[in-house]
Amino acid sequence: MVELDKTKTQQFCYKYMDHEGVQREATIDVIIPYDDSLEELTTQVLAQMDPMMRLLDENIGIEKVLQKFIDVENQKFRDEYAEELLEKVRNNEIDVEEIIRETERHYKEELIQFADRVGPSDEDIFAQSFHRLVHSSSLEEILKKERAYSKVIANMTKEMDKEVETLNNTQQEEMESKINQLDITTTPEDINNLLAQQYSTQNYVRKRYESELEAKIGHQKNEYRHWITSQVSELFQSSPVSTPLGNRSSMFISQQPSMEESFTIHLGSQLKHMHNIRILSSNVNDLCSPLYADESLNGLNMALGLYSSSLCGVVVLTPSVQAQANKDIIKNANMSTEFHFNQIDDQLEKIEQQIRQLNINSSSTPSTKSLSTASTDVSLNSADGTDVATNGSDKNQSLQSSASNSPIKTSAKLKTGDFFITKHSNLSQSHVIFHLISDEPINAPSEINSRHPVILGLRNILKTASRHDVTTLTIPALLRHEMSEDMTVQWCMRRAELVFKCAKGFMIESASWGGAELSTLQLLLPHDISEELFSTLASMVPNVFRVANPKILVDTTK
């Protein structure tokens, strides 16, 4: 950008008659624009005049003449300067964006209302306040308040579903009646008009409820956060005694799986690390059920672990043709207000935007394999080990900060082995859900090896979990959530052995990644698996992971 002159010098000339009647001039150079003392310039003019004239009252008018001169010249200078700037903008000689950035910088430096905030953000204050409260005697009160909020949202959701279902039944009967009268009293145009009318009615009903739910969720979230931060100040003023965690164990009631077995193992080449391995049969949706689905206060463990270094994660398989979160999980997450993260609808919307941006970047620069943004609060990862998009934060802070019934559009493509992450505080056993893309046919089980994209996706999930303090992780042991007739016993044994061995290798490898250590690995089998097959697969765990059995030494000297 070509710099323009910031100032110019203009000569001021004052003509007057001296005491002898001779016309004289007093001149001074004035730097335009001039915003300094007018009295100083007046003094300079008087210094050049006849000494006798300085004492005459009529010469007091010099100051007014000088003021008018300065006003005219200042305005003329600014007009010319502005016109030159406009001309340079028209000729693309000025970087407008640079001017905007410079102006923004000056505003931030000079005006407090535009300055960058110094100190903890509102999100940090809320997180710290909540963490303190859940480790105090206020925990039960927090859970009861969340339950009350949850009931309101759940009732509104059920009311919406009921009204939509009733409307569907009524419209279906109406449509069937019209079709039966086709070519008698009804024309095809009448049916088309009825379809348009029914669609409009359904859309209106849904939008009305969705608007009410959005307003209620926003109100609950603001009210809840204000209550949490205000409770902290009251708590520490009264200095109450914290309730021991042992007294609260009866408050936590989780849905038990149909079958399960647990093992303790030690892994590592030199320095051994202890891990818990749990194999269980359950519906994956039961691990992501609404937090307050029953009357028990079952949010204890989830609340205590939320802002800790012991987060819980679940891997959920998702086909790429849908490229969206499990519909049941979406419904469960929308049964209550998400107080700590964005609602799942907003999270999936941001994920969709990131995928679209990734596709644009990939099409324009095929060699580019990663994209990072510091402003998002969701994560996506690629099966080749490359971070497709991360939030730039560290550890569980990335899971605190920052998809709905509308899926990620098919134009935003993910491939097998990719995964995206959603974060939750209102699901029963999941802080983090890793949505792993898998396109294996349901009715045609295939054979895979350790280099299959889904297996590599599991490795990257374990790596991401290690980075962000996810210490309890549930993975599908057969890479399936449901059984099918084509899944023979031999196939299940081969698939389970592959997943078990790969998981073991990844856990050993994780020691070199740094970050949190995976303390509990849950191997999830389909809920409709037979007891005999479950027992067979469970018996494989000690052989693959080499369960640590105590050695009994007998004293033979006696």
Side-chain angles (χ1 to χ4, degrees):
M1 184 180 82
V2 179
E3 291 289 339
L4 300 175
D5 292 337
K6 300 297 182 181
T7 61
K8 69 176 183 179
T9 301
Q10 196 73 15
Q11 189 179 69
F12 170 72
C13 178
Y14 181 73
K15 298 180 179 180
Y16 67 97
M17 301 292 291
D18 64 11
H19 65 284
E20 296 179 351
V22 179
Q23 183 171 337
R24 298 184 181 274
E25 295 181 355
T27 59
I28 58 171
D29 291 333
V30 181
I31 298 177
I32 302 297
Y34 186 83
D35 297 315
D36 292 333
S37 172
L38 184 63
E39 294 182 356
E40 181 178 347
L41 291 182
T42 303
T43 302
Q44 294 179 20
V45 173
L46 290 174
Q48 298 183 30
M49 295 176 63
D50 189 309
M52 296 294 297
M53 299 299 297
R54 301 177 196 172
L55 303 177
L56 299 179
D57 293 339
E58 60 265 21
N59 287 307
I60 301 300
I62 295 176
E63 186 171 333
K64 294 181 180 180
V65 176
L66 188 57
Q67 180 66 64
K68 183 177 180 180
F69 169 81
I70 291 175
D71 291 342
V72 171
E73 293 299 328
N74 280 350
Q75 186 61 46
K76 186 186 300 183
F77 171 82
R78 293 189 177 100
D79 291 344
E80 293 175 353
Y81 182 65
E83 185 60 37
E84 289 186 59
L85 285 177
L86 291 174
E87 183 64 27
K88 290 185 178 295
V89 170
R90 285 190 288 267
N91 296 333
N92 294 323
E93 298 178 12
I94 291 181
D95 187 351
V96 178
E97 293 299 326
E98 178 64 27
I99 295 176
I100 294 174
R101 288 191 293 268
E102 188 69 14
T103 304
E104 182 182 11
R105 183 181 66 82
H106 285 305
Y107 266 81
K108 288 182 176 181
E109 290 178 355
E110 301 295 335
L111 302 176
I112 190 170
Q113 61 265 40
F114 297 101
D116 293 330
R117 180 167 181 170
V118 179
S121 65
D122 293 339
E123 294 289 338
D124 294 334
I125 294 173
F126 170 73
Q128 294 170 10
S129 301
F130 180 85
H131 185 67
R132 291 182 178 182
L133 279 182
V134 295
H135 290 85
S136 71
S137 57
S138 301
L139 175 58
E140 186 172 353
E141 187 177 359
I142 292 176
L143 298 182
K144 288 181 178 179
K145 196 171 189 67
E146 289 183 358
R147 172 178 295 283
Y149 282 137
S150 177
K151 282 185 176 180
V152 174
I153 301 300
N155 290 338
M156 291 180 65
T157 303
K158 291 176 182 177
E159 184 180 347
M160 178 184 69
D161 293 340
K162 183 178 179 180
E163 183 170 339
V164 170
E165 183 180 2
T166 302
L167 181 62
N168 282 337
N169 294 335
T170 302
Q171 291 181 344
Q172 186 175 358
E173 293 175 1
E174 185 180 9
M175 181 57 66
E176 290 176 354
S177 175
K178 288 287 186 181
I179 292 176
N180 292 334
Q181 296 297 319
L182 185 61
D183 296 332
I184 301 176
T185 60
T186 305
T187 64
E189 185 178 356
D190 294 333
I191 292 179
N192 290 335
N193 292 336
L194 180 60
L195 279 172
Q197 180 185 352
Q198 289 181 349
Y199 173 79
S200 177
T201 303
Q202 277 202 14
N203 188 56
Y204 168 75
V205 172
R206 287 189 177 276
K207 291 296 182 182
R208 174 167 58 85
Y209 273 104
E210 288 173 359
S211 177
E212 292 176 0
L213 279 169
E214 184 178 358
K216 177 61 69 174
I217 287 173
H219 174 73
Q220 285 188 356
K221 192 168 186 176
N222 291 333
E223 186 177 72
Y224 176 82
R225 290 186 166 219
H226 176 72
W227 178 78
I228 288 291
T229 52
S230 62
Q231 285 293 107
V232 168
S233 58
E234 296 178 8
L235 175 70
F236 285 94
Q237 286 175 3
S238 57
S239 300
V241 179
S242 297
T243 303
L245 294 180
N247 296 343
R248 303 174 183 153
S249 58
S250 61
M251 295 163 54
F252 180 70
I253 302 176
S254 61
Q255 187 169 357
Q256 296 298 324
S258 57
M259 295 175 283
E260 68 168 292
E261 282 193 44
S262 298
F263 307 89
T264 300
I265 64 170
H266 291 85
L267 294 178
S269 55
Q270 295 180 347
L271 181 62
K272 301 290 185 179
H273 297 277
M274 186 173 71
H275 305 270
N276 296 319
I277 304 295
R278 184 180 181 221
I279 185 170
L280 67 154
S281 167
S282 179
N283 191 322
V284 68
N285 294 332
D286 292 340
L287 303 180
C288 309
S289 59
L291 189 58
Y292 299 105
D294 52 44
E295 293 301 320
S296 62
L297 291 173
N298 62 354
L300 173 66
N301 283 1
M302 299 307 294
L304 292 175
L306 188 58
Y307 290 97
S308 71
S309 56
S310 302
L311 301 174
C312 301
V314 177
V315 177
V316 178
L317 300 175
T318 302
S320 63
V321 291
Q322 290 178 315
Q324 66 175 13
N326 182 296
K327 290 183 178 180
D328 291 330
I329 293 177
I330 294 175
K331 183 177 180 180
N332 292 341
N334 282 325
M335 290 295 286
S336 61
T337 300
E338 176 56 77
F339 295 112
H340 301 269
F341 309 113
N342 292 331
Q343 289 292 126
I344 190 171
D345 300 1
D346 299 328
Q347 291 188 44
L348 290 184
E349 184 179 350
K350 290 184 179 180
I351 291 172
E352 178 187 343
Q353 294 173 358
Q354 286 189 307
I355 297 174
R356 290 182 179 280
Q357 185 61 44
L358 177 64
N359 290 339
I360 293 174
N361 291 353
S362 298
S363 61
S364 60
T365 55
S367 61
T368 302
K369 303 203 71 177
S370 67
L371 166 69
S372 295
T373 124
S375 61
T376 60
D377 59 356
V378 292
S379 299
L380 299 95
N381 277 265
S382 170
D384 60 8
T386 306
D387 286 344
V388 176
T390 59
N391 63 3
S393 300
D394 60 346
K395 295 194 176 181
N396 61 329
Q397 289 295 327
S398 66
L399 302 176
Q400 296 172 12
S401 324
S402 174
S404 70
N405 296 328
S406 57
I408 296 176
K409 305 299 185 297
T410 54
S411 59
K413 295 180 181 178
L414 293 176
K415 61 181 182 295
T416 299
D418 293 345
F419 65 95
F420 57 92
I421 296 173
T422 54
K423 300 166 290 182
H424 310 272
S425 66
N426 59 349
L427 297 180
S428 59
Q429 300 180 50
S430 311
H431 293 117
V432 188
I433 299 179
F434 300 90
H435 305 266
L436 176 61
I437 304 300
S438 175
D439 285 327
E440 188 174 15
I442 297 177
N443 297 321
S446 59
E447 299 294 336
I448 63 175
N449 56 34
S450 60
R451 301 305 299 172
H452 191 273
V454 174
I455 297 294
L456 297 179
L458 281 178
R459 176 184 179 274
N460 293 328
I461 287 175
L462 262 71
K463 193 170 185 178
T464 304
S466 176
R467 289 176 178 175
H468 299 290
D469 289 341
V470 178
T471 58
T472 298
L473 184 64
T474 303
I475 66 174
L478 300 178
L479 302 181
R480 293 290 189 87
H481 290 314
E482 294 181 355
M483 298 293 293
S484 67
E485 295 180 356
D486 298 320
M487 295 169 62
T488 64
V489 173
Q490 294 300 322
W491 181 90
C492 290
M493 291 178 65
R494 290 194 301 272
R495 175 61 62 88
E497 183 179 15
L498 172 66
V499 174
F500 292 174
K501 288 183 177 179
C502 289
K504 176 184 175 181
F506 298 154
M507 292 172 69
I508 295 174
E509 185 184 4
S510 68
S512 63
W513 293 338
E517 182 180 308
L518 185 65
S519 61
T520 302
L521 177 67
Q522 296 193 136
L523 304 170
L524 180 65
L525 294 173
H527 64 93
D528 51 353
I529 194 172
S530 66
E531 292 187 15
E532 293 78 11
L533 182 54
F534 177 87
S535 300
T536 300
L537 299 181
S539 65
M540 296 172 57
V541 175
N543 297 327
V544 173
F545 288 93
R546 297 184 181 180
V547 174
N549 293 320
K551 292 183 178 180
I552 302 176
L553 302 178
V554 180
D555 188 358
T556 59
T557 59
K558 294 183 179 180

